[in-house]
Amino acid sequence: MVKTQELIKLAGFSSNMCSFLLCKYSHNNAKKIKLFTSKVYDSVNLWISKLFRFKNSALLFYDDESDGIVRLCNMLLNYKFSDFKENGYESIKKKPLIYISGASKYATKSNSETLAFQLGLPTNCFKVLEVSTNLDDTFEKINTRKFENNVEEDIKNNCVPIVLITSAGNQRSGHCDNLNELNRICYKYRIWLHLDGFHLSTLALYSVPTAVQPIWSGDSVTLDLATWLGIPCLSYITIYRNVDNSGTYIKPFNNYKTILQRSFPYWSILQAMGHDGVIERIRFSTEMSQNFNRILEKQQPCLKALSFYATEGSQTSTSFNGLSDLFVKALNFLTFVDLNNPVTIFKCDPKFVDERLILKKDLNEPKPKRILSPHHQEFLNLIHENSDQKEEAVVYSDEIIEYTDSLTTWLFESINQKHNMEFELLKIEKEGVCIRYCPIDHVNILNTTNNDLNQFSKLLEQMMAIIDGSIRCRAKFDQEVNTYSNLISVKVSDWEGVGAVRYIPDYLMHKLDEIKKFFKNRCENSSDLDEKNAHEEELICVNEIKEIDDLNELIIEKLQSEDNAFSSGKAADGYLSLKFGMIQDIGLLKKILEQVITTSKEIEESSRFIETMSDLVRQGIEKANQDLKKETEQKLGQEGILRQIPLVGGLFSWISPTSSANNVGRSFNLQSGKILTTETLYKYHIQVEENMNESNQSNDKENSVLERELSSDTVKINFSNQTSEVSSEEKVNEPEQNSQNLIDLK
């Protein structure tokens, strides 16, 4: 089989070759280019029509998905209204209607508006048909009886049905509408039937499912060969049944240049792959779907694969009247097996989650299975088949449903884009969050192999073991948290982990009940919080709640710096909480809780020390300010007011110097918590620490002796300076030397 990368290169080379031919020969040899284009187009048309068994057909090539519908509807408007080409909207005497299935990708409001804008029709000309939401074989299918009644009413209201756009394998569930009945209704009321969907790829298989065979008598289908073959650079194809003068209606859209640029890559790819190569790629995607379903069956207790088939009560009777009935039923059975839906939708089973969260049972012990005799088993089966009572659907609590959706989302994030496999997360009514897997969408593009599927099977087993262990730990999470008085369990929405906690400091433990009541009221009565705000403030101070929130923020930052397993988030009450992830072992959960308690105690003690030191610093600053204020007042009384005036004070101090020293500052010792003067710091130019030890006391004595010695030396030097001033005429150089010695000693 040809490799995908080689086919992509071939398609790109073919497209470049077409551009080269059109640039070089479009003017001089336009006839030859047109002849070459028609041969390539006819060859591709023959390949596609035989490959997908669509007779008497023509092709439309386009790059945007909506372009095919626009061209098709334009052709049908010309076909329904003969003078539409000449008169335009004036030729439309009756309101045209375009029916779109609610499960189709064109049913969205944006797509309908785009189609209406490009066709020049009002948006009320597009009618979206409702589909069933029941989780059975009618899921996302058109109700044919209701559709036929709507058509009859629209015709009575002077409307003209133009086309029905439906799916043969929709984007979500992959369901195929009842094509036999829809084909009958469209043929009866002359409505064009257009189909799209990946079930159309089965038309290329050797054994075509009978449920898809009515497409042969349909009108048009859209083929997404770029996805099915794994070659993204190919354009979309719409193959339609030739009607009267359909070529003239489509001709404005099909210029020979665009036809060549889009059909020649197909011609090259089909020549390289061959008929068998195309079939092999489609067949491989269906085999991957079956193998994936077998992998899910191994994880059946944990995972739930959504089944949209009819229940036993809605199945047809097993009795038959003759050989023909038996043959028809056997053929239907073979058709059912052949038409295996390639789309698989699965999720975590809420029943499994609910059972694991019950603490009354020891879930580690396997439950004994009751072995019945063949007669008893046959009797029970007979009662079950003949009973008309249907089993009541189990309704789970909102908490179980929310937790199951969170686990499904976590599983999707863990397995998506791993081992060349892509999944899609979607939400289905009455089921919640689910995971969708469709191999035909990406198997050939990503080159997924059976080895990748085996690796995925191992990964899925690991994820299921983590989910199982995490559910068990979640069941005992509150019980383990209650063993620690400072921790309270809080509720966090949309969280797949075992739970979340909040730490309460020791100095608020006497108000623990009030704190719990406050958080509970915030969680349950969040809408009526403003009315009860005054009453809650009487129970507990808002500042204390803020202190708890700030302390938990510090704890979360410290734990996240040590281990990435911790995370933070807003709880249901709106305050911060410490969230625990997926934990498989109860022993590991206990160790983590011990780590949380230890770290929280350390942070609480450090925060207390910081608060105490802040109080001491604040008191020390106040005391230092008071001392400095007193010294300033004393200095003002000693020196007088004249010395405080800026210019006059300097002149007065120069004439009559003061003998008082400068103001002494204050310093704060963090170890002793005492206020000290900066006199020694400026005197000796070193920082002297004051301690209560005996060694420091002896050092203080030595310092006092040193001070006395220094003071006596200065007195002697001053005396010598005075004597030198008297005999200054005899000894001129001595005052300079004495003054220099005085400076050195100081």
Side-chain angles (χ1 to χ4, degrees), residues 10 41 59 63 106 113 137 153 190 192 208 220 223 235 280 297 299 372 384 394 484 561 575 629 631 719 741:
L10 178 60
Y41 174 82
L59 297 181
D63 294 329
Y106 304 107
E113 292 176 352
D137 57 345
E153 291 179 1
R190 300 186 64 188
W192 187 278
V208 179
S220 62
L223 305 176
S235 58
E280 180 64 24
E297 289 178 358
Q299 309 295 335
L372 299 177
H384 182 69
V394 180
Y484 302 95
S561 63
Y575 291 94
K629 187 177 180 181
E631 290 182 0
F719 177 76
N741 294 330

Side-chain angles (χ1 to χ4, degrees), residues 610-626 668 675:
I610 293 172
E611 291 176 358
T612 305
M613 293 304 299
S614 63
D615 294 337
L616 291 175
V617 171
R618 183 171 59 254
Q619 295 173 2
I621 292 173
E622 293 176 356
K623 185 178 179 182
N625 289 330
Q626 293 176 0
F668 179 71
I675 300 295

Side-chain angles (χ1 to χ4, degrees), residues 5 73 194 215 220 248 262 285 303 416 418 558 627 699 722 742:
Q5 295 297 328
C73 292
H194 178 76
I215 299 174
S220 62
T248 58
R262 293 170 180 171
S285 62
L303 295 178
N416 189 31
K418 300 287 181 62
K558 181 66 179 302
D627 294 341
N699 292 333
Q722 292 176 359
L742 178 62

Side-chain angles (χ1 to χ4, degrees), residues 185-436:
I185 296 172
C186 292
Y187 182 79
K188 179 180 178 180
Y189 297 98
R190 300 186 64 188
I191 302 174
W192 187 278
L193 179 61
H194 178 76
L195 301 172
D196 63 354
F198 47 79
H199 269 309
L200 301 175
S201 62
T202 58
L203 292 171
L205 299 178
Y206 292 110
S207 177
V208 179
T210 54
V212 188
Q213 288 179 1
I215 299 174
W216 295 345
S217 58
D219 297 314
S220 62
V221 295
T222 296
L223 305 176
D224 188 7
L225 291 177
T227 301
W228 300 345
L229 301 181
I231 308 172
C233 55
L234 296 178
S235 58
Y236 292 96
I237 289 180
T238 292
I239 181 170
Y240 63 95
R241 178 172 54 87
N242 273 323
V243 295
D244 298 338
N245 298 325
S246 62
T248 58
Y249 305 145
I250 300 295
K251 188 176 180 180
F253 300 102
N254 272 359
N255 192 341
Y256 77 95
K257 294 182 180 180
T258 58
I259 291 176
L260 180 61
Q261 288 179 338
R262 293 170 180 171
S263 62
F264 189 70
Y266 270 104
W267 183 85
S268 302
I269 293 297
L270 293 174
Q271 292 289 338
M273 294 181 63
H275 187 274
D276 295 337
V278 176
I279 295 175
E280 180 64 24
R281 284 181 175 260
I282 297 174
R283 185 188 61 80
F284 178 72
S285 62
T286 57
E287 289 181 355
M288 289 290 290
S289 175
Q290 296 175 1
N291 295 334
F292 183 81
N293 291 331
R294 294 191 187 99
I295 292 174
L296 287 185
E297 289 178 358
K298 298 178 182 178
Q299 309 295 335
Q300 197 66 33
C302 303
L303 295 178
K304 173 186 177 182
L306 270 64
S307 177
F308 301 106
Y309 299 111
T311 56
E312 294 183 2
S314 62
Q315 289 180 353
T316 57
S317 175
T318 56
S319 61
F320 56 92
N321 298 325
L323 186 61
S324 60
D325 291 345
L326 179 62
F327 178 76
V328 169
K329 293 183 183 297
L331 185 61
N332 289 335
F333 175 75
L334 294 175
T335 302
F336 170 76
V337 175
D338 194 6
L339 192 62
N340 185 23
N341 190 354
V343 176
T344 302
I345 300 177
F346 61 97
K347 60 176 294 186
C348 292
D349 195 352
K351 181 181 179 181
F352 172 79
V353 175
D354 191 26
E355 290 178 353
R356 289 296 188 272
L357 289 178
I358 297 176
L359 293 175
K360 296 180 181 179
K361 300 179 181 179
D362 188 5
L363 299 174
N364 294 322
E365 297 180 0
K367 298 180 180 179
K369 295 183 179 180
R370 183 182 178 187
I371 301 176
L372 299 177
S373 63
H375 300 287
H376 289 142
Q377 187 66 43
E378 185 178 357
F379 178 72
L380 291 176
N381 293 337
L382 181 62
I383 294 177
H384 182 69
E385 291 176 0
N386 295 331
S387 62
D388 297 333
Q389 298 179 356
K390 296 182 179 180
E391 295 183 0
E392 296 182 357
V394 180
V395 179
Y396 299 100
S397 62
D398 295 337
E399 183 180 358
I400 295 295
I401 294 174
E402 180 182 345
Y403 183 46
T404 304
D405 291 344
S406 301
L407 289 175
T408 305
T409 305
W410 178 84
L411 179 62
F412 166 77
E413 294 173 353
S414 302
I415 64 177
N416 189 31
Q417 296 182 353
K418 300 287 181 62
H419 307 295
N420 295 329
M421 299 180 68
E422 285 188 359
F423 298 87
E424 181 183 355
L425 194 67
L426 50 88
K427 191 170 184 179
I428 297 179
E429 189 178 356
K430 301 178 183 179
E431 281 293 339
V433 179
C434 301
I435 302 174
R436 175 184 178 271

Side-chain angles (χ1 to χ4, degrees), residues 29-73:
N29 298 318
K31 292 183 179 180
K32 293 183 179 180
I33 294 296
K34 291 181 180 180
L35 181 61
F36 176 72
T37 302
S38 63
K39 288 184 177 181
V40 171
Y41 174 82
D42 293 338
S43 178
V44 174
N45 187 14
L46 183 62
W47 271 83
I48 299 297
S49 60
K50 285 188 175 181
L51 190 63
F52 293 94
R53 310 181 187 191
F54 210 93
K55 300 178 181 179
N56 189 23
S57 61
L59 297 181
L60 278 175
F61 298 96
Y62 51 93
D63 294 329
D64 192 11
E65 288 182 323
S66 60
D67 286 348
I69 301 297
V70 171
R71 299 180 186 182
L72 190 65
C73 292

